């Protein structure tokens, strides 16, 4: 049976190395990364993909140089301001996931604005992870379930995969079918640990600013040829 693609995730890696190879400041690599992001989002819209989830900034990324982090926060604000109405016109539903407590207030303001503006859109579901990590997601989940058990909203024996899934980020969306990582690294880097239990993985050496729509299409075609067994003998 031919694979169906409902949910694609991308770890957009390689911006800094792209800039370093050209003798430019790291923030320039991130700016060119945004240009690639716009192309891929438009491709996803035109290709009529259902869900696209992107890893933009992990909790661990706070350990990067101060000026780089500040530059990234400003770039997030600028990008959201400049694309929100265009994405809304294209019927995209935007959801920013992650711990917003540490984010700049101005960024949180625009996150709320773009989410409110696009919340009823029925086209591409675009999830962007900012200040996210899979372990943080699990910890929040454990706290929520513990609260429910403590207040007798659920019985401890009721805890199962569905209960766990309901208390994680993206709980309303299906598991990830395909995870792409650019930049040559071959690791998950604390991304959606629960949602990728049977995800197909694709690693490419292409740095994110150089990642093209044609590269994306080739990976999608590769995915369609794979046999997915989900622990069994039959591809679903």
């Amino acid at each position: 049976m031919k694979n169906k693609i409902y949910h694609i995730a991308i770890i957009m890696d390689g911006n800094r190395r792209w800039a370093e190879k050209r003798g430019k400041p790291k923030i320039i690599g991130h700016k060119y990364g945004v240009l690639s992001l716009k192309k891929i989002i438009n491709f996803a819209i035109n290709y009529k993909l259902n869900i696209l989830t992107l890893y933009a900034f992990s909790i661990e990324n706070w350990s990067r140089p101060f000026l780089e982090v500040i530059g990234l926060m400003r770039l997030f604000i600028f990008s959201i301001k400049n694309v929100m109405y265009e994405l809304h016109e294209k019927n995209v539903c935007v959801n920013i996931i992650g711990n917003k407590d540490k984010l700049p207030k101005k960024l949180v303001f625009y996150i709320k604005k773009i989410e409110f503006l696009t919340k009823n859109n029925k086209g591409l579901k675009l999830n962007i992870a900012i200040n996210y990590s899979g372990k943080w997601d699990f910890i929040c989940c454990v706290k929520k379930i513990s609260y429910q058990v403590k207040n007798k909203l659920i019985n401890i024996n009721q805890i199962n995969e569905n209960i766990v899934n309901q208390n994680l980020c993206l709980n309303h969306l299906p598991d990830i079918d395909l995870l792409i990582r650019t930049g040559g690294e071959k690791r998950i880097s604390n991304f959606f640990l629960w949602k990728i239990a049977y995800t197909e993985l694709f690693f490419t050496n292409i740095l994110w600013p150089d990642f093209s729509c044609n590269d994306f299409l080739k990976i999608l075609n590769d995915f369609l040829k794979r046999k997915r067994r989900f622990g069994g003998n039959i591809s679903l």
Side-chain angles (χ1 to χ4, degrees):
M1 185 181 295
K2 188 175 180 180
N3 290 333
K4 294 182 180 179
I5 307 177
Y6 293 108
H7 192 172
I8 299 171
I10 305 178
I11 299 175
M12 306 177 292
D13 193 21
N15 292 336
R16 302 201 301 171
R17 279 171 286 154
W18 186 93
E20 288 170 353
K21 283 185 175 182
R22 290 159 177 77
K24 298 182 182 294
K26 293 182 177 64
I27 194 63
I28 298 299
H30 293 303
K31 288 180 178 180
Y32 274 85
V34 170
L35 296 179
S36 288
L37 175 57
K38 289 180 179 179
K39 293 176 185 176
I40 295 304
I41 291 173
N42 282 325
F43 176 89
I45 295 169
N46 294 330
Y47 200 82
K48 299 191 185 318
L49 296 178
N50 298 91
I51 309 165
L52 182 63
T53 299
L54 306 166
Y55 207 5
F57 189 87
S58 72
I59 288 176
E60 292 79 12
N61 288 157
W62 290 105
S63 63
R64 291 182 176 181
F66 177 76
L67 290 179
E68 182 184 354
V69 172
I70 292 298
L72 274 169
M73 294 300 126
R74 289 174 177 170
L75 185 58
F76 290 149
I77 294 168
F78 175 83
S79 299
I80 293 173
K81 283 174 62 178
N82 282 272
V83 302
M84 66 169 64
Y85 294 107
E86 179 183 349
L87 292 178
H88 180 49
E89 289 176 2
K90 293 180 177 179
N91 202 29
V92 177
C93 178
V94 180
N95 183 28
I96 310 297
I97 52 178
N99 186 354
K100 300 179 178 67
D101 294 342
K102 195 176 179 180
L103 298 179
K105 291 182 180 179
K106 191 173 183 180
L107 176 55
V108 174
F109 170 80
Y110 282 105
I111 286 173
K112 291 180 179 178
K113 189 170 183 178
I114 193 171
E115 288 183 331
F116 180 80
L117 178 67
T118 65
K119 66 179 181 179
N120 294 321
N121 291 342
K122 305 301 182 184
L124 175 71
K125 291 180 175 62
L126 177 63
N127 309 296
I128 303 177
I130 300 178
N131 199 27
Y132 174 88
S133 84
K135 290 184 177 180
W136 166 83
D137 203 355
F138 273 132
I139 291 170
C140 292
C141 174
V142 171
K143 288 180 179 179
K144 291 175 184 176
I145 294 175
S146 298
Y147 175 86
Q148 294 169 35
V149 172
K150 181 180 178 181
N151 288 276
K152 299 182 179 180
L153 300 174
I154 61 171
N155 185 288
I156 193 169
N157 294 319
Q158 291 178 290
I159 300 174
N160 54 24
E161 287 189 14
N162 288 333
I163 293 293
V164 173
N165 192 60
Q166 288 168 17
N167 288 279
L168 291 167
C169 288
L170 302 188
N171 52 65
H172 58 297
L173 297 177
D175 288 350
I176 295 168
D177 296 303
L178 172 65
L179 172 61
I180 302 167
R181 180 170 186 149
T182 63
E185 303 292 352
K186 294 178 176 62
R187 55 177 178 265
I188 304 304
S189 293
N190 205 0
F191 201 22
F192 281 94
L193 303 179
W194 179 269
K195 288 283 188 183
I196 62 170
Y198 284 101
T199 295
E200 294 294 314
L201 307 178
F202 194 102
F203 301 100
T204 175
N205 291 325
I206 301 170
L207 302 177
W208 178 249
D210 292 327
F211 190 73
S212 68
C213 294
N214 190 49
D215 296 320
F216 194 20
L217 181 58
K218 287 179 180 178
I219 294 172
L220 296 181
N221 287 332
D222 175 87
F223 170 85
L224 294 174
K225 297 174 185 176
R226 295 187 183 187
K227 294 182 178 180
R228 305 187 71 194
R229 294 185 173 84
F230 301 91
N233 294 321
I234 301 174
S235 178
L236 299 178

